[in-house]
Amino acid sequence: SSTNSHQIDFVYLSRVLFSMIFYFIGSAMDAFATAWAGWRTPQIAILDFYSEKSSGNALPDIIHDILAYLNSKVKDSFFDFLFEPHPSWNGVFVKCCVVSMTFFTCFHPSRFVLFRRILFIMGVIHILRALCVAATSLPDPTHECLSQFHNETGDYKKMSIFPHVLYISFQLMINPGAHVTCGDMMFSGSVVVFLVCGLLFHRYFQSSTCDSRLVSWLELKTCGYLLFSIRWANYFCGVFGFYILITSRLHYSIDIVMGIVITSLSWWIYHTMATIPELCSCSRLVSWLESDFVHRVDEYIEKSQQSQKSQQSQNHT
């Protein structure tokens, strides 16, 4: 029986390991495409109808125009800070969402299910983003990237792409804030993190799906407001992250829209296929990740945790 249990552990955990490797490959491709975009992002001049050069150096964007108009109306007033760009804050909110997802997933009773699914979905999105960023290079609208054409911060553009792009890619994977990325417009990676964080807590951190002993005890102590507070704290973190992303003009509006559409569709398609056997069988990879055996192990783990929980409650009584 110990041999069978070891076989079960290997077969089950191999799915999680595959998702981790797949996520790493997707992240590496995304980092490489992002670093590559720094060399390929163009410097453009916007001409008006009379072929006169305008003041803009980025593509026309309706949200950027609206923000510029509102900023001009509230300039030097109390509301001025609402429209000031804070690009460094975007990284703070991204890190908060990543740390929150990782921390709370580790304490979720179905932690292996969550890691298996989230890592695979994120891997798919990273690969799609790498293809989009590498395919078409758009002019970056941020001041930091526009200034690279005129000062020493853009000296790396004068170097040969290889092997410097590999070094910057490695930097981005280890510490994303170590290098200012430019040209990685289509589509926003920050939007992916904010949205996956919200979808994760909305689906899996309900009282019916997150009933471990620790969570149940804390729910009792907080009168049922623990999971509610955790969900809404992450919702607000994502909303503020979206706001900072827009006001800082780190992306065009289409980047944000495409990020929302692709992330939502990837999440919905995978979970629909994972929960409907007829659809699951249409994909060999999803069928392997979400096979009947894996689901039985998922149910066995959940039932064993529930039985331990009931036994402890009986012992207390």
Side-chain angles (χ1 to χ4, degrees):
S1 59
S2 61
T3 303
N4 291 334
S5 64
H6 286 308
Q7 291 176 348
I8 291 174
D9 292 340
F10 173 76
V11 173
Y12 184 72
L13 295 178
S14 62
R15 270 68 171 176
V16 182
L17 180 62
F18 171 82
S19 296
M20 293 175 63
I21 296 174
F22 185 75
Y23 172 79
F24 176 80
I25 294 173
S27 299
M29 292 177 61
D30 193 357
F32 179 84
T34 300
W36 172 280
W39 273 270
R40 291 178 53 81
T41 180
Q43 182 184 22
I44 64 171
I46 304 297
L47 305 180
D48 60 16
F49 180 77
Y50 302 99
S51 299
E52 297 291 335
K53 188 176 183 301
S54 65
S55 59
N57 294 102
L59 298 177
D61 188 280
I62 185 65
I63 300 299
H64 292 180
D65 295 340
I66 293 174
L67 289 173
Y69 173 78
L70 293 175
N71 192 22
S72 65
K73 293 299 181 181
V74 300
K75 196 171 184 179
D76 299 327
S77 69
F78 176 76
F79 300 99
D80 189 17
F81 74 96
L82 291 175
F83 302 101
E84 290 182 354
H86 300 283
S88 60
W89 290 14
N90 178 68
V92 174
F93 283 104
V94 169
K95 290 178 181 178
C96 288
C97 285
V98 171
V99 171
S100 178
M101 285 191 294
T102 305
F103 177 79
F104 287 108
T105 299
C106 289
F107 289 96
H108 196 280
S110 302
R111 62 186 68 89
F112 291 115
V113 179
L114 269 62
F115 278 123
R116 185 178 72 231
R117 292 179 177 177
I118 301 305
L119 290 175
F120 181 78
I121 293 172
M122 290 289 288
V124 171
I125 296 174
H126 275 303
I127 293 174
L128 290 175
R129 184 173 188 270
L131 296 175
C132 292
V133 169
T136 304
S137 298
L138 300 177
D140 201 301
T142 61
H143 172 74
E144 290 79 3
C145 291
L146 291 173
S147 63
Q148 286 187 354
F149 292 99
H150 309 288
N151 57 37
E152 64 279 0
T153 58
D155 286 347
Y156 72 93
K157 296 177 183 291
K158 303 174 185 178
M159 304 177 183
S160 59
I161 295 181
F162 292 99
H164 297 95
V165 66
L166 300 176
Y167 172 70
I168 295 177
S169 302
F170 181 75
Q171 269 190 326
L172 292 175
M173 292 190 66
I174 301 300
N175 183 15
H179 180 77
V180 177
T181 60
C182 297
D184 55 326
M185 295 290 99
M186 185 68 68
F187 48 93
S188 173
S190 300
V191 167
V192 174
V193 175
F194 297 145
L195 199 55
V196 168
C197 180
L199 292 170
L200 171 69
F201 282 93
H202 175 73
R203 182 181 180 94
Y204 291 107
F205 285 84
Q206 305 284 347
S207 57
S208 58
T209 56
C210 185
D211 55 352
S212 65
R213 290 173 291 174
L214 177 61
V215 172
S216 299
W217 181 78
L218 291 174
E219 277 279 277
L220 182 63
K221 294 296 182 181
T222 58
C223 300
Y225 283 100
L226 173 68
L227 293 176
F228 175 84
S229 302
I230 291 174
R231 285 198 307 273
W232 279 97
N234 284 275
Y235 294 162
F236 280 120
C237 184
V239 169
F240 281 118
F242 270 104
Y243 178 76
I244 295 298
L245 194 66
I246 294 172
T247 56
S248 299
R249 296 153 177 85
L250 293 174
H251 281 277
Y252 294 107
S253 302
I254 187 63
D255 304 335
I256 297 175
V257 172
M258 290 302 297
I260 293 174
V261 171
I262 292 175
T263 304
S264 302
L265 283 177
S266 300
W267 179 278
W268 178 78
I269 290 173
Y270 184 87
H271 282 83
T272 301
M273 294 182 68
T275 52
I276 300 178
E278 292 79 8
L279 294 177
C280 187
S281 60
C282 296
S283 171
R284 290 185 178 181
L285 182 56
V286 177
S287 179
W288 179 75
L289 287 171
E290 303 286 342
S291 63
D292 293 336
F293 168 78
V294 175
H295 282 186
R296 286 198 299 270
V297 177
D298 291 339
E299 294 173 357
Y300 171 77
I301 293 175
E302 292 177 1
K303 288 180 180 178
S304 63
Q305 290 177 344
Q306 290 176 356
S307 63
Q308 290 178 0
K309 176 183 170 183
S310 61
Q311 287 177 0
Q312 285 192 348
S313 61
Q314 291 176 0
N315 294 333
H316 286 301
T317 55

